[in-house]
């Protein structure tokens, strides 16, 4: 139970499938759910091969209506794009490094935009009206 005037948010890193019970229970008591999706390839996530996965997410979000659900797709693109020198964040120091550069980048700015378009198009196909699209930047200094 949330007290009047309190705002609580739960960020869920979605990799497919159903959400955990904690996320559902959190929304049931008035919490704000933020679902973050991080495809390894923006090119692939922009294609129809991702439609069924996006459709699953759209159904999950729609199922929370009338509660609004925040969704970010490809969080922290400023450290994952090809012209940004895609890098991984060291979990101990919080610093960005190119140690795992073979896994990065996820794609170009155009790939990122096409991925977003694909997600938004699929949500429109399923008439999901309670989604709040969110951008999430790392704030990498250049």
């Amino acid at each position: 139970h949330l007290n009047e005037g309190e705002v609580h948010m739960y960020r869920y890193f979605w990799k497919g499938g159903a959400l955990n019970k904690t996320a559902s229970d959190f929304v049931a008591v008035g919490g704000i759910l933020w679902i973050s999706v991080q495809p390894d390839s923006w090119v692939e996530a922009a294609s129809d091969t991702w439609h069924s996965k996006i459709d699953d997410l759209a159904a999950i979000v729609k199922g929370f209506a009338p509660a609004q659900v925040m969704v970010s797709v490809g969080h922290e693109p400023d450290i994952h794009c090809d012209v940004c020198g895609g890098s991984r964040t060291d979990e101990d120091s919080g610093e960005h490094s190119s140690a795992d550069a073979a896994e990065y980048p996820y794609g170009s700015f155009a790939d990122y935009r096409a991925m977003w378009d694909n997600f938004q198009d699929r949500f429109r196909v399923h008439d999901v009206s309670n989604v709040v699209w969110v951008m999430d930047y790392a704030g990498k200094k250049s």
Side-chain angles (χ1 to χ4, degrees):
H1 172 66
L2 302 178
N3 295 319
E4 187 174 333
E6 288 183 340
V7 176
H8 295 267
M9 183 179 66
Y10 179 79
R11 187 169 184 184
Y12 188 92
F13 292 92
W14 188 75
K15 296 180 191 264
L19 301 186
N20 65 29
K21 186 172 177 353
T22 302
S24 300
D25 290 349
F26 188 75
V27 173
V29 298
I32 299 169
L33 179 60
W34 174 4
I35 299 174
S36 193
V37 183
Q38 184 65 291
D40 290 335
S41 167
W42 297 341
V43 172
E44 187 177 313
S47 73
D48 60 0
T49 61
W50 261 67
H51 283 184
S52 66
K53 194 170 194 173
I54 298 169
D55 293 350
D56 289 347
L57 180 58
I60 289 167
V61 171
K62 190 173 186 175
F64 283 111
Q68 293 185 316
V69 177
M70 300 185 332
V71 175
S72 59
V73 181
H75 55 271
E76 299 179 344
D78 51 335
I79 61 170
H80 299 299
C81 65
D82 56 5
V83 297
C84 300
S87 62
R88 181 176 299 278
T89 301
D90 180 275
E91 293 184 23
D92 294 324
S93 70
E95 295 297 316
H96 299 292
S97 74
S98 57
D100 297 317
E103 295 182 39
Y104 291 83
Y106 291 164
S108 68
F109 290 136
D111 299 331
Y112 183 76
R113 183 68 223 170
M115 173 186 64
W116 264 89
D117 288 345
N118 195 30
F119 272 78
Q120 291 179 331
D121 289 347
R122 298 308 299 170
F123 272 62
R124 275 191 288 275
V125 163
H126 296 286
D127 197 30
V128 180
S129 60
N130 62 317
V131 63
V132 177
W133 297 105
V134 177
M135 295 296 299
D136 174 22
Y137 295 100
K140 178 182 176 186
K141 296 178 182 178
S142 47

